[in-house]
Amino acid sequence: MRWVHRYAIGGAAFAALPLPISTSAGLAALEVHMFNFIGGVYGESVGNLASLAAGGGLEVMGAGLKFVATRAVSFVPGPVGIVVRASIAAVVIETLGRAIIGHFERKHPGRLFSPAA
């Protein structure tokens, strides 16, 4: 969970950057990396096809969330919009990380974390 929190903080910081481009692709790449990393913690290699499929789905989800964030920010005055975008990114990454951990916990019950030698 510690790594999920770190990814969520990184995603929030990235979403808060005033970039002239959409941050959806970068956040999707961060989420796919988190998926691969958590899989590695459980000793399971996430293949290229699974990563590609996850990335495509996360990109579509990111576009939808960007639409929601844009609508939400339109009701909020001033620089509070940056906080809204960062909060949405952090909550989504945290929720996704918990779901990924739940998936691997169900798949490998009782497996304890052991760092690579």
Side-chain angles (χ1 to χ4, degrees):
M1 281 307 298
R2 178 177 58 223
W3 283 100
V4 172
H5 300 318
R6 289 177 183 169
Y7 276 101
I9 291 168
F14 183 69
L17 293 175
L19 298 175
I21 58 171
S22 174
T23 57
S24 297
L27 290 171
L30 181 78
E31 292 160 350
V32 168
H33 188 272
M34 179 177 66
F35 180 49
N36 289 328
F37 183 82
I38 293 172
V41 167
Y42 285 92
E44 187 168 317
S45 175
V46 178
N48 290 338
L49 185 59
S51 292
L52 194 64
L58 293 170
E59 178 63 30
V60 170
M61 182 181 73
L65 286 171
K66 181 172 177 63
F67 176 77
V68 170
T70 304
R71 292 294 179 164
V73 169
S74 69
F75 296 111
V76 180
V80 178
I82 294 171
V83 175
V84 171
R85 283 196 332 249
S87 299
I88 290 172
V91 167
V92 167
I93 293 171
E94 184 78 23
T95 304
L96 183 63
R98 289 175 184 267
I100 293 168
I101 288 174
H103 165 74
F104 285 113
E105 285 288 321
R106 283 187 299 279
K107 198 170 186 181
H108 306 286
R111 177 174 277 181
L112 299 175
F113 171 70
S114 60

